[in-house]
Amino acid sequence: MERIPFAPSLSKHEDEIMVKPPNARPLSLTILACLIFTYAIFVIGWDLVAPFERDYTQGPASVVFGLRVSGWSAQLMHGLQLLVAVRLAYGLWTMQAWGWAFAMMVVGYIIISTTVWVAVYQDFGRIMFAFVNLVIVNMLLLLIFPHREKFR
């Protein structure tokens, strides 16, 4: 007995356009990954190559867990921060399970670092910088959290 085909299906190309896979990367995560990658290259990378001038030190400087470091240790930390930012962008882009865990570690680090920095230096003239860090953390969480189950 011969099988009679039902209605013809769409072409492969049309089918891909019409049906979005359930684990497709949301637009918000795409934008976030691109922003993090851009920040990594243009801000951290540029600071690694040509350190920004700081009023509290000469030469390269960075903040690690809220504490200021300068000189070669700052340059090493810039390299590590560049690696972390690129890895975070890649983890969000590919939506791997480790990307979700890594994003939560970065959020925790930013919160700890900002809290220690404000407590140790009590540099209230730059309190706006700490506020911006907290806004960044909240935006990161707002963009990632609704899609946590899509990380495979």
Side-chain angles (χ1 to χ4, degrees), residues 63-134:
V63 175
V64 180
F65 284 107
L67 303 173
R68 295 174 178 159
V69 293
S70 58
W72 283 105
S73 57
Q75 288 297 82
L76 289 173
M77 288 314 302
H78 285 314
L80 181 61
Q81 290 166 350
L82 180 64
L83 181 68
V84 166
V86 169
R87 181 178 168 101
L88 177 61
Y90 179 76
L92 294 175
W93 185 266
T94 59
M95 295 188 66
Q96 299 295 317
W98 63 263
W100 165 257
F102 198 67
M104 294 303 105
M105 287 175 25
V106 169
V107 164
Y109 168 79
I110 292 172
I111 291 171
I112 290 169
S113 185
T114 302
T115 304
V116 169
W117 181 71
V118 169
V120 169
Y121 298 107
Q122 297 180 359
D123 192 359
F124 295 109
R126 295 180 185 224
I127 199 74
M128 207 54 190
F129 180 71
F131 179 71
V132 168
N133 273 345
L134 294 177

Side-chain angles (χ1 to χ4, degrees), residues 22-80:
N23 287 338
R25 182 179 51 258
L27 180 62
S28 61
L29 290 182
T30 301
I31 292 170
L32 185 62
C34 290
L35 287 174
I36 291 170
F37 185 75
T38 302
Y39 173 80
I41 299 304
F42 289 110
V43 176
I44 300 172
W46 184 257
D47 201 17
L48 187 63
V49 174
F52 300 120
E53 288 297 319
R54 287 9 183 244
D55 56 355
Y56 55 86
T57 188
Q58 291 182 359
S62 186
V63 175
V64 180
F65 284 107
L67 303 173
R68 295 174 178 159
V69 293
S70 58
W72 283 105
S73 57
Q75 288 297 82
L76 289 173
M77 288 314 302
H78 285 314
L80 181 61

